[in-house]
Amino acid sequence: MSLLEEVVLDLERHTAQEGWDAAPRLYALVRSAELRSAEPDLADQLGLPPDADTLAALEQPALPEQAAVEDALAAIAWPDAVDGCALVIERVVLPPEVEDEIPADEAEAAAFAAQHPRREDVRMIVGVLRDGARHSALRLRRPDAEDEVLAGPDLVPALAEALAGTFEPDEPEDPS
């Protein structure tokens, strides 16, 4: 199992213990050796073993409530010491056959989805690294799906792409 897969699944387990209906959470992913070198006290607080080779997930300040998550991610740029990032977010999904019934107005669409009898609540944990690696975990909010977690690299491609975009330079580099 890769370090990214490990940290995504750890975040999923941690989030599952806290329950549902949480705000989106963004994490910076930093190599434990780098963190230990730069911030030894923080590494001790996190319980990182001295010779551990892991990714530490450092929770970031809350995303702005007024902005869409994708818009908030577009405004983020990570320092070089950050090897990756992960996002934990909950969404309501509807079956494709009701797509034509969804109102065009955003507020009305949200109310429609929240009250639809065939809605599914899903928690998504998506992690990306600077080198392009991606991994995701999904959990449905069903009583019979308590321990059922789907995991894989391409489960939420649009969100993974938005997270990967936080590592791209805002302006193209001058070739001269």
Side-chain angles (χ1 to χ4, degrees), residues 27-112:
Y27 296 85
L29 304 179
V30 180
R31 294 294 288 229
S32 56
E34 180 74 27
L35 182 61
R36 179 154 296 288
S37 172
E39 298 283 344
D41 291 340
L42 179 57
D44 288 341
Q45 268 185 327
L46 295 173
L48 296 176
D51 56 352
D53 183 26
T54 62
L55 283 172
L58 306 175
E59 188 169 356
Q60 301 301 292
L63 295 171
E65 289 183 30
Q66 70 276 10
V69 170
E70 293 79 5
D71 294 338
L73 291 175
I76 293 173
W78 298 104
D80 291 340
V82 174
D83 294 294
C85 62
L87 180 69
V88 177
I89 190 168
E90 296 175 10
R91 287 291 184 248
V92 173
V93 294
L94 295 172
E97 56 270 15
V98 301
E99 222 172 270
D100 293 340
E101 301 172 35
I102 300 172
D105 178 76
E106 195 172 316
E108 290 176 23
F112 175 84

Side-chain angles (χ1 to χ4, degrees), residues 17-28:
Q17 290 174 346
E18 294 179 355
W20 287 85
D21 303 319
R25 285 185 268 179
L26 182 65
Y27 296 85

Side-chain angles (χ1 to χ4, degrees), residues 117-164:
R118 294 185 56 205
R119 71 178 262 174
E120 292 274 2
D121 293 337
V122 63
R123 180 183 303 122
M124 301 173 277
I125 299 87
V126 180
V128 301
L129 296 179
R130 279 187 191 273
D131 69 7
R134 299 170 181 204
H135 197 71
S136 306
L138 299 177
R139 179 187 293 264
L140 294 175
R141 186 180 192 171
R142 292 184 191 159
D144 60 345
E146 192 63 34
D147 292 329
E148 294 179 29
V149 176
L150 300 173
D154 299 317
L155 296 177
V156 193
L159 193 51
E161 196 62 36
L163 287 168

